[in-house]
Structure formats: structure tokens, C-alpha cells
Amino acid sequence: MRLDQLQKGHSDNVIENIIFGLSSLLLFRVIGDFKNFGFFGSKASDAFAKIEKQVYIPLFLVLFILSLFLVTG
């Protein structure tokens, strides 16, 4: 829906605000809580923490960057 709006030159503040909100959630997930999860989380050493640092953090970072292109595109 957003790509169709951008092609037609239409601006919708509600859709932009939703995308900004979802983008910020993705970014907060990448940063983490500085303790257990996220890019700066260093205390957790279980199997999920290893998978998270190898898979989830890069995935959410890429999704965050792509979601910003929807707003600025």
C-alpha cells in the first residue's frame, strides 16, 4: 500500500507514523537492554543468545533500514 502511495506522489501521515513506530521497535530490538539481549547484551551466554547475535540482530537491522526507505522513498 505504501509503495503504491509513493508511486502516485500521495503522502499519508498515518501510514508514515505507523512505519516510524514499527521501525523504532525494530531498532530498539537491535540495541537491546544492555544486559540480556540485543547488540550490547553481553551477560547471556546460552544457545539463544548465540543464535540471536548471528541471526536475529542482523535481520532486524536490515528490516529497520528497509523500513526507513518506505518513509523517505
Side-chain angles (χ1 to χ4, degrees), residues 10-64:
H10 182 270
S11 179
D12 186 2
N13 289 341
V14 174
I15 297 294
E16 288 178 5
N17 289 337
I18 289 172
I19 292 173
F20 275 128
L22 292 175
S23 296
S24 65
L25 289 176
L26 290 170
L27 182 62
F28 290 146
R29 180 63 178 94
V30 169
I31 294 172
D33 68 347
F34 299 102
K35 196 181 277 186
N36 297 319
F37 67 91
F39 185 72
F40 297 107
S42 60
K43 285 192 175 182
S45 63
D46 58 349
F48 177 74
K50 292 177 185 177
I51 292 172
E52 178 191 22
K53 288 193 184 236
Q54 293 174 355
V55 178
Y56 291 130
I57 291 174
L59 174 68
F60 289 139
L61 186 61
V62 167
L63 290 175
F64 167 71

Side-chain angles (χ1 to χ4, degrees), residues 1-17 20 70-73:
M1 181 173 158
R2 179 64 181 154
L3 292 175
D4 187 45
Q5 287 178 345
L6 289 174
Q7 289 174 350
K8 293 179 182 178
H10 182 270
S11 179
D12 186 2
N13 289 341
V14 174
I15 297 294
E16 288 178 5
N17 289 337
F20 275 128
L70 287 176
V71 176
T72 60

